[in-house]
Amino acid sequence: GVPAKETFFDDDDSPHLQDFDILSLCDTGAQWYVDTPSNPLEVETKLREVVAEYRSVLFLGVSMGGFGALSHAHLADTVAVFGPQTDLTRSHLRPGFLPDDLAAATLKLKENVHKALARGTRIEYHVAMEDHILYAKWLPLPLGAVIIHPIAGRIA
């Protein structure tokens, strides 16, 4: 099994966690962490293998990374996103996919958010006072999941 996480304190009384790992993904091809017929990234397959090794998994993403985190939310215990895009058919920024691939990626995100919520995944959707608020409406998020920060302009 996986050892329990233990908190310990340094000489300056700051807490630290033992056995804490970070995996940082960067989609340098700007493909929104999505498999397409012409470019299969196999992100879900690879993530599933990695998360199987952990008791607790957090996905964190901003903008395109938020799309990726939400698209794979069913593999995590907690998902925190900041200014994510949630509908590639309407987003102001999006990958250069065919319209059907944009719609399929958006549908898969929504389906996986449903799966995540059904399994008890906690989702926090952080947004400023801008168009990402509308993106939040298109998801089946529970009451309290959308956190609106009282600032004007984009946060992502």
Side-chain angles (χ1 to χ4, degrees), residues 69-104:
L70 289 168
S71 293
H72 300 93
H74 61 295
L75 302 176
D77 301 297
T78 303
V79 176
V81 293
F82 296 82
Q85 296 168 339
T86 59
D87 187 337
L88 296 182
T89 65
R90 302 179 189 196
S91 295
H92 63 282
L93 293 174
R94 55 186 161 208
F97 295 170
L98 296 172
D100 287 348
D101 290 337
L102 293 171

Side-chain angles (χ1 to χ4, degrees), residues 30-86:
Q31 196 169 315
W32 271 247
Y33 305 91
V34 171
D35 286 322
T36 61
S38 63
N39 194 11
L41 298 175
E42 299 182 15
V43 175
E44 183 168 337
T45 301
K46 294 170 185 174
L47 279 176
R48 190 177 298 280
E49 291 172 10
V50 170
V51 302
E53 303 294 322
Y54 294 90
R55 282 191 307 182
S56 183
V57 174
L58 163 74
F59 289 167
L60 177 70
V62 177
S63 193
M64 176 177 59
F67 186 91
L70 289 168
S71 293
H72 300 93
H74 61 295
L75 302 176
D77 301 297
T78 303
V79 176
V81 293
F82 296 82
Q85 296 168 339
T86 59

